[in-house]
Amino acid sequence: MNRTRIWRWRMALTTFLILLAAGGFMLFKTSPLAKQGTGDTQVSSITIFALKGCGGCSKAMGVMEQMEAASPAYRYQYFSISEDTEAVNRYGIAEHPTILFLNAQEEELGRLTEDISSDRILRELEDLGANGARPPKGTILSAIPSTMPSVTLHAYDPHSGLFTPVSQYVQTDTSVRYPKVSAMTMLTQLGDLLPPELESAIPDGITFVEIRTEHGVTVVELSPSFRAFTDSEEGNRAEQAIALTLQTFEGVNGVQVVSGAYRSDILYAENLAGRSDEKSDYLLNPDTPLPHMSSVKEYNAAILHASHLAVMPCFCGCGEAGHSSNLNCYYAQEDDGRLTPTTHAKFCQTCLDVTNMYLEGRQQGLSLKEIRQSVDQAYQGIEPTNTPLPLN
């Protein structure tokens, strides 16, 4: 009798546990947590990323407004490339205009970046409905990068007649952390930062307006003042430097420069073969990114003026750590000449001050010897690094 009761009790308990597990499964299946992993492939919202002043963006915005009036079943979102940097980085937006198709969880299902029209949007919606989501094309970046992004610009070496690649960190305090836009903006502003042996390939007074993609070609628009240089040696140099700089980005091949009604020839990578001297003097070691910091100006200066900061001492006591100059506070130099960033100067105001004294002296037209004398005098009585004197 007791055995029968025990058997019945076990059967009842087993049934209860089975029902409890089944109920728990059904509860999980219908919960929001479960929905996060369901792989929702239904388009819920259509989102555009645009840049103010961009002609292609204005056209795409008009298309979006027409779609919103004609197809109210979707949610429509409008983001600015220059202001909504968190969203730009979250979705890896690399060009404008860009239209994303998102599900209810704000996950990307597909994107359009060229020749945006109502017909293309409708065809994309039909394709996504029939064939499902496609992997996002963008590179996902964090809103606040843990490492400093850098770009490779191209300066002109008048002695060789070739272009020299130059690494520069992108300013993190700008509202635009959009690599190609940053690269073009920095390229047009590079002149005052370069060491004496290099020149900016962009003529004075020329400014960057916008960058866009047309039929697979990367188009860079410059200010109207560039038209005075078209079909000249200076203008050709500027166009080549722009193309070489942009071709360091993955997926960029053909590059065209426009200014008003002027359009240059399309420059492809094969057209520019041999135009870069491929020097490593001003390049970073790509395997060692620099941790996030605010002293971008000084680190960029140290890349371009490495040979000069190598004859500027430091006075923070870093000689005991094996430093022989102010340059060592920023970079160690590899055997191939590339610079490996260090974090020492990031935390040391003395290192930054010495670099800024050098930059100020250079702006005043002082020689290296005169700048060195000023630095030594400013820190008189403090033990310096064992730094060689400049030759001139």
Side-chain angles (χ1 to χ4, degrees), residues 260-282:
Y262 170 77
R263 284 182 172 263
S264 73
D265 293 334
I266 299 174
L267 293 173
Y268 294 95
E270 51 267 30
N271 302 137
L272 298 170
R275 291 298 292 135
S276 172
D277 57 24
E278 299 183 354
K279 287 182 179 178
S280 60
D281 302 27
Y282 310 104

Side-chain angles (χ1 to χ4, degrees), residues 231-301:
D231 299 321
S232 69
E233 184 178 346
E234 283 182 286
N236 291 336
R237 270 206 307 264
E239 291 167 7
Q240 291 176 2
I242 288 169
L244 284 167
T245 294
L246 285 173
Q247 285 163 3
T248 60
F249 290 92
E250 186 177 355
V252 175
N253 188 9
V255 176
Q256 185 177 47
V257 174
V258 304
S259 178
Y262 170 77
R263 284 182 172 263
S264 73
D265 293 334
I266 299 174
L267 293 173
Y268 294 95
E270 51 267 30
N271 302 137
L272 298 170
R275 291 298 292 135
S276 172
D277 57 24
E278 299 183 354
K279 287 182 179 178
S280 60
D281 302 27
Y282 310 104
L283 286 176
L284 296 174
N285 184 338
D287 298 328
T288 313
L290 186 70
H292 177 70
M293 51 75 183
S294 58
S295 44
V296 177
K297 182 186 78 170
E298 291 85 358
Y299 270 84
N300 281 342

